[in-house]
Amino acid sequence: MNKKLKILLTGGAGYIGSHVLLRCLEAGYEVIVLDNLENSSRESVRRVEHLTGRVVHFCLGDIRDAENLDRIFTEHQVDAVMHFAGLKAIGESLAEPLRYYDTNVNGSVTLCAAMARAGVFRLVFSSTASVYGNQTEMPLNESSPRGSPASPYGWSKLMVEQILEDLASSDPRWSIGTLRYFNPVGAHPSGQIGEDSQGEPSNLVPYIAQVASGRRKHLSVYGNDYPTTDGTGVRDYIHVLDLADGHLAAMDRLTQSTGYKLWNLGTGQGFSVQEVIRGFEQACGQSIPHRFVPRRPGDVAQSWADPALARSELGWQSKLGLDDMLADHWRWQKMNPTGYTKK
Ligand SMILES: NC(=O)c1ccc[n+]([C@@H]2O[C@H](COP(=O)([O-])OP(=O)(O)OC[C@H]3O[C@@H](n4cnc5c(N)ncnc54)[C@H](O)[C@@H]3O)[C@@H](O)[C@H]2O)c1
Ligand SMILES: O=c1ccn([C@@H]2O[C@H](COP(=O)(O)OP(=O)(O)O[C@H]3O[C@H](CO)[C@H](O)[C@H](O)[C@H]3O)[C@@H](O)[C@H]2O)c(=O)[nH]1
């Protein structure tokens, strides 16, 4: 790995970005974080600095601000970008589609245009397994058909994927890797950084963690009539640190060739909602009150990855199991019951 790379992390104060930031610093990269702190806290970056003993150059700003991007690329000799900044709440995207398309699509276009002006052509992009939509054939590999996403959020990711593919075909200098994340959970084992769920979490594991800590009374399990082993939804949960390592492997690969590449980042194993509840009960030593309610609109029955391409092309595979993810998530929740306390 080329340790001298200087990488711009958009959204680097967020859940996934902060774990990638930590891994980048541990690997010896120089890193600049650009974040408008819309859904995060500067405290995550401070804690990463503390954990690694490294200093991060933090820029408060918006990815849609082209002048600010030009300034950053002029001031810093950036070699590559990892692009996490965006909005990710599916329900919110249904209520505010323009805000989602503006940040996720317009923001990505603005970023790529600024990169091209600055002569920076290496990019890793955060996409989602949601782009596969509702499929019956498992596991999902990169050639599986893209489905019809059930939300503006999912569409915004699919649109950006297409834009990036077109961009790479238009100019051979681009080297772009799209990573389709399955379901990231867990936290750094120190309990210092993790997912800062403001308000009511929509994702399963943060919700269970808040039930376990007494912040919520019970979990609603969305549907027990799916065609799965126990009737509840099945997902491929991946530890956020394994996911972070996948970014470094992708960046490494992008330094070796140009063009557009796409990789699934998942473990290859699916777990039902009931299996996750039981796993969390073991991790926290208490029972998780839950009740079955109708299916959540837009949810798919099952989704798990075929991670073979990432293994063969990136030399990456997940190492941590569901137990590690849930234990680490619980530690983070216990140590930070209301998330980062400082903005
Ligand atoms: N967490 C998941 O389950 C998941 C799954 C698949 C894909 N993704 C994608 O991965 C990326 C990171 O997700 P995350 O879970 O870390 O989310 P997050 O909300 O914790 O992090 C996103 C970061 O982007 C920042 N941001 C938002 N709009 C911005 C803007 N206009 N300019 C600058 N910064 C802005 C936020 O303040 C936040 O720090 C997102 O693009 C998300 O869509 C997440
Ligand atoms: O309170 C809850 C929350 C979730 N679930 C169930 O738990 C499973 C996982 O749900 P999540 O909301 O945690 O995850 P999703 O698979 O629905 O979606 C997440 O993972 C996707 C990638 O696969 C996308 O990235 C998406 O943005 C992100 O929210 C689903 O069967 C869901 O119905 C519940 O039963 N109760």
Side-chain angles (χ1 to χ4, degrees), residues 147-159:
S148 190
S151 68
Y153 166 72
W155 278 112
S156 72
K157 291 288 175 185
L158 199 48
M159 286 175 190

Side-chain angles (χ1 to χ4, degrees), residues 222-223 226 228 230-235 237 271-274 300-302:
Y222 299 132
Y226 283 111
T228 57
D230 64 18
T232 63
V234 170
R235 297 291 185 277
Y237 297 92
F271 290 96
S272 73
V273 174
Q274 297 199 87
V300 299
Q302 53 183 4

Side-chain angles (χ1 to χ4, degrees), residues 170-223:
S170 74
D171 184 333
R173 287 174 297 177
W174 282 99
S175 181
I176 300 178
T178 286
L179 303 179
R180 287 184 180 158
Y181 308 158
F182 281 69
N183 290 55
V185 295
H188 190 265
S190 65
Q192 290 296 313
I193 53 169
E195 184 163 15
D196 191 1
S197 299
Q198 301 294 340
E200 188 170 337
S202 55
N203 294 120
L204 179 64
V205 174
Y207 204 103
I208 295 179
Q210 291 196 4
V211 173
S213 70
R215 264 181 85 182
R216 315 243 164 228
K217 282 206 169 63
H218 65 265
L219 170 79
S220 295
V221 176
Y222 299 132

Side-chain angles (χ1 to χ4, degrees), residues 10-18 34-41 61-64 83-88 103-104 125-129 153 157 179-184 195 203:
T10 73
Y15 171 45
I16 299 168
S18 57
L34 168 65
D35 202 302
N36 68 358
L37 302 182
E38 183 165 346
N39 192 40
S40 55
S41 161
D62 198 296
I63 48 164
R64 293 163 297 177
H83 177 33
F84 303 95
L87 303 176
K88 63 166 181 175
T103 297
N104 293 1
F125 173 63
S126 304
S127 190
T128 165
Y153 166 72
K157 291 288 175 185
L179 303 179
R180 287 184 180 158
Y181 308 158
F182 281 69
N183 290 55
E195 184 163 15
N203 294 120

